[in-house]
Amino acid sequence: MKSFGKIIGIILGIAVVAGGTCGVLIAINGGFNKEPEPVAEPELEPEPDPVATEAKMRILYAGTTFWGRRTNTAARASELGVKYPFSKLDTLDRKNYDAWIGGLECPVTDNGHNMKEEENIFKFNCDPDYLPEAAKYFTAFGLGNNHSDNQGGGTGLTTTRQYLDQNKIQYFGTPKYSGNVASEQARDTAEATNCAIIVLPMNVTYDNTETKQIQMPFGFCSAHGVFGVPAEDYLQNMKTYSAVVPTIAMPHMGAEYKSVHDTLRQNLYRKMIDYGVDAVIADHPHWTQDAAAYKDKLIVYSMGNFMFDQTFNKEVSRSAAIEANAQLKDVANVDFDKWDELGKACLKDKKSCFANIQNAALPRIQIAWTYDYHGTTSANDRITRLASDAEQAEIGARLKWSAIPASMKVSK
C-alpha cells in the first residue's frame, strides 16, 4: 500500500509540474486564442538592371530612284499598276534589313508627268499613288538632287514632304546647294537644310537575353552638286551633325555616264569624312562607279540607277545597292532608353529634333561598320531585281570591291 501511495504521489507531482509549465507557456503566448507572430521574410536583394551586351542594325542604301516617265507608262499598262516597279524587290530580302535609304529623284505631286522643255531640261514628277508600295521598302528618301525642285521649286517640295509624311516615309536634304538665300529661295523653302535626323530601328540585346528594338537618331545629309560645288556652310552642317550623332553623307553629283570618279569628287568626299561623317554613299552619274576606303571609312562614288526608266544599255539599268552593318561599340555604357526617347520625339517633331539631341548632351555613339554590295538590274522591263551572278561579278569589279579592306567588309 505504501508503494501504491508513492506512485500516486509521483503522478500528482508530475501533473502539477506539467500544469504549471502549460500555464507559463499560455501566459507567454497570450492565451490559447492568439495567433503566433508571423516570422518576417528576409528582404530580397533587388535584381540589377539588365546591361546591354550587343546593339546592331542593317541598312540597304539604294541609288537613284524614280518611277515616272516610261516606268509609269509601263506600270499603268500592266495589271500590277503601281506595284509594277516594286514587284521583284523581294529578291533583295527586305525582311533582312532594318531600313532602306534611297535617293528620290523626283518631286511627288499631282501635276502629271514630266516633259522636255525647249532648253533641253527635263521636268520630272512622280505620282503619289506609288508611295504606299514604296513605303513597304523604303524608310527614308534623300531629296537633295537636281530634279526634286522640278514642280515649282519649294511649292512642289512642300507637297512632296506632305505626301511622304502621310506615308510615314522620312526624308532629308534639299536641292539647294549655295549659301545665297536669295538665289536659292525658288529652289526650295527658306528653312530647308541639307541635313536632318532620320530615326532608324536599332536591335539591342541584354545580359538577361532580353532583346529590344529602340529608335536611334542618325544624321543624314545631302550635298547637291550638279550645278556647282556645295557651299561650305552645307559641309559645316555635316560637321555639326557628325559631332552629335553618327552621320551619313549622300551626295548627288558627278559626271554622268562615266565609270570612274573625278578628282573634284574625290577631294570633296574626303573632306566630308574629314568633317566627321561615317560614310559617303553617292549617286547621280546613272552608272555605277568605283568605291574606296579613306581613313577606314567607305566612299561609294556612284551607286547607279536603282529604279529608273533608262534601259538603253546595261550600265543605266543596273546599280550597286550597298549593305551597311552597324555594330555599336561600348554598348554597356550607352543610355539606350534616353536615345530611344529622343528618337521617338524626333518622329513626332522634326523641327526641334536636333536641338533636343544637342541639349541632351549624350556621348556620341560609336559604330563599327562593315559593308557588302548587291548588284541590281532593271533591264528590259524596268522592274528592279537582284542581278545575276555574272552581273554581280561585273558590278563588284566596277566598284573595285576587292580593294576595300577586309576589316570593312562583311565576312562571307
Side-chain angles (χ1 to χ4, degrees):
M1 292 296 291
K2 286 183 180 181
S3 297
F4 180 76
K6 286 181 180 180
I7 292 171
I8 294 297
I10 291 170
I11 292 171
L12 290 174
I14 293 171
V16 169
V17 172
T21 303
C22 288
V24 171
L25 292 173
I26 291 168
I28 291 172
N29 287 287
F32 286 109
N33 296 326
K34 186 169 181 179
E35 292 286 334
E37 290 289 335
V39 178
E41 294 274 340
E43 288 190 13
L44 298 176
E45 289 291 328
E47 287 193 20
D49 292 333
V51 176
T53 57
E54 183 181 64
K56 60 184 180 180
M57 65 182 303
R58 181 180 293 172
I59 304 170
L60 190 75
Y61 295 109
T64 301
T65 301
F66 167 65
W67 53 79
R69 203 165 54 179
R70 290 179 286 267
T71 298
N72 177 70
T73 300
R76 301 298 180 184
S78 166
E79 62 181 15
L80 293 173
V82 296
K83 296 181 179 181
Y84 183 84
F86 309 96
S87 59
K88 294 181 181 177
L89 289 185
D90 58 348
T91 60
L92 289 163
D93 292 324
R94 176 62 179 88
K95 65 182 180 299
N96 291 335
Y97 295 91
D98 298 294
W100 277 21
I101 316 290
L104 184 61
E105 197 169 28
C106 56
V108 181
T109 76
D110 297 299
N111 295 344
H113 308 301
N114 52 283
M115 57 185 178
K116 189 174 183 179
E117 295 184 328
E118 292 180 3
E119 59 267 34
N120 201 35
I121 296 176
F122 290 96
K123 278 190 174 181
F124 281 7
N125 186 69
C126 285
D127 286 345
D129 55 346
Y130 287 83
L131 283 176
E133 286 301 312
K136 295 177 182 178
Y137 301 94
F138 289 96
T139 309
F141 281 129
L143 304 179
N145 58 69
N146 58 307
H147 285 292
S148 61
D149 65 346
N150 283 184
Q151 298 295 329
T155 302
L157 272 164
T158 296
T159 302
T160 300
R161 291 171 176 131
Q162 289 171 347
Y163 273 124
L164 292 173
D165 282 335
Q166 289 171 19
N167 288 274
K168 300 188 184 319
I169 300 175
Q170 299 176 70
Y171 48 84
F172 62 94
T174 173
K176 295 190 295 184
Y177 64 93
S178 81
N180 188 325
V181 175
S183 65
E184 292 294 294
Q185 181 75 38
R187 197 179 299 279
D188 198 359
T189 53
E191 68 274 13
T193 63
N194 65 310
C195 294
I197 292 293
I198 299 298
V199 181
L200 303 179
M202 177 76 70
N203 306 299
V204 184
T205 303
Y206 295 87
D207 57 2
N208 62 357
T209 71
E210 176 189 0
T211 59
K212 182 179 178 182
Q213 191 173 80
I214 66 125
Q215 301 301 313
M216 179 66 76
F218 283 76
F220 278 81
C221 298
S222 70
H224 174 213
V226 175
F227 306 132
V229 177
E232 177 62 24
D233 58 341
Y234 285 16
L235 301 180
Q236 287 292 332
N237 284 346
M238 296 183 185
K239 190 173 185 179
T240 299
Y241 270 71
S242 296
V244 180
V245 290
T247 299
I248 311 300
M250 296 190 73
H252 190 91
M253 61 181 84
E256 293 183 325
Y257 312 116
K258 302 290 184 182
S259 61
V260 295
H261 71 277
D262 54 36
T263 303
L264 173 62
R265 250 54 62 172
Q266 176 174 295
N267 293 339
L268 191 56
Y269 294 175
R270 287 183 174 185
K271 187 175 184 178
M272 293 175 186
I273 287 177
D274 290 338
Y275 279 11
V277 303
D278 284 37
V280 179
I281 313 291
D283 65 3
H284 173 66
H286 296 293
W287 284 21
T288 300
Q289 293 183 345
D290 49 324
Y294 174 68
K295 293 185 175 179
D296 295 323
K297 295 182 178 180
L298 183 67
I299 298 174
V300 178
Y301 286 97
S302 175
M303 290 181 283
N305 288 337
F306 180 76
M307 182 177 290
F308 210 70
D309 70 331
Q310 293 176 331
T311 58
F312 51 81
N313 62 36
K314 68 179 180 181
E315 296 283 3
V316 296
S317 58
R318 71 184 187 183
S319 79
I322 302 299
E323 174 187 318
N325 292 271
Q327 189 88 29
L328 264 65
K329 302 176 182 178
D330 195 24
V331 291
N333 294 316
V334 176
D335 190 343
F336 287 108
D337 289 339
K338 185 60 179 177
W339 279 115
D340 189 44
E341 178 185 324
L342 290 166
K344 289 174 179 175
C346 286
L347 291 172
K348 294 178 181 178
D349 181 6
K350 295 181 177 69
K351 288 188 177 180
S352 60
C353 169
F354 186 61
N356 289 340
I357 295 173
Q358 285 179 306
N359 292 336
L362 295 173
R364 183 194 189 276
I365 63 171
Q366 301 298 321
I367 296 177
W369 293 98
T370 54
Y371 299 94
D372 201 355
Y373 76 91
H374 303 282
T376 75
T377 181
S378 56
N380 303 320
D381 55 10
R382 302 185 175 92
I383 298 176
T384 304
R385 58 197 179 274
L386 189 67
S388 68
D389 290 345
E391 291 169 314
Q392 296 282 346
E394 287 183 2
I395 292 167
R398 173 64 56 79
L399 286 169
K400 298 181 180 178
W401 200 252
S402 60
I404 301 298
S407 60
M408 293 175 58
K409 293 192 288 191
V410 175
S411 299
K412 295 293 189 183

